[in-house]
């Protein structure tokens, strides 16, 4: 886990301003969760969820949400898997 310094916070805020898609938000949330701010990371994962379009997006998001090093939120991960399952006709 990296330390969440003021410089890091400013860097993350700049990255958040320029985030455009689910992958931008998810990878930023991963970094922020790893740095110790789970609340901020959860907000970014929620933004990523809003941008999810298909089962691949939801499945990838689940990997971060359920990861014990990030959020470790199994309940939310199950909800995301349900959404992925609903869209599964488009997935392998």
């Amino acid at each position: 886990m990296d330390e969440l310094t003021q410089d890091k916070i400013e860097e993350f805020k700049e990255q958040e301003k320029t985030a455009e898609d689910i992958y931008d938000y998810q990878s930023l949330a991963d970094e922020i969760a790893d740095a110790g701010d789970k609340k901020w990371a959860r907000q970014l994962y929620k933004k990523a969820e809003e941008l999810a379009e298909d089962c691949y997006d939801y499945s990838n998001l689940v990997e971060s949400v359920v990861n014990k090093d990030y959020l470790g939120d199994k309940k939310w991960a199950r909800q995301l898997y349900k959404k992925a399952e609903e869209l599964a006709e488009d997935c392998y």
Side-chain angles (χ1 to χ4, degrees), residues 16-73:
E16 183 177 3
K17 286 179 188 174
T18 61
E20 295 180 354
D21 60 28
I22 183 173
Y23 303 106
D24 292 342
Y25 282 107
Q26 182 178 349
S27 61
L28 179 57
D30 289 350
E31 288 185 60
I32 290 171
D34 190 47
D37 193 334
K38 307 258 189 232
K39 183 178 178 183
W40 187 7
R42 182 177 294 278
Q43 292 170 348
L44 295 174
Y45 288 130
K46 289 281 187 191
K47 287 182 180 182
E49 180 182 5
E50 291 171 12
L51 296 171
E53 296 179 352
D54 58 31
C55 66
Y56 298 113
D57 290 344
Y58 285 106
S59 295
N60 287 332
L61 188 55
V62 165
E63 291 179 26
S64 292
V65 169
V66 78
N67 187 318
K68 65 181 168 102
D69 293 331
Y70 299 147
L71 289 187
D73 189 333

Side-chain angles (χ1 to χ4, degrees), residues 49 52 54-59 61-62 74-89 91:
E49 180 182 5
D54 58 31
C55 66
Y56 298 113
D57 290 344
Y58 285 106
S59 295
L61 188 55
V62 165
K74 293 178 183 177
K75 182 179 178 183
W76 186 16
R78 277 193 285 280
Q79 293 169 351
L80 293 171
Y81 265 135
K82 291 270 187 203
K83 290 180 182 181
E85 187 177 43
E86 291 169 10
L87 298 169
E89 64 189 43
C91 290

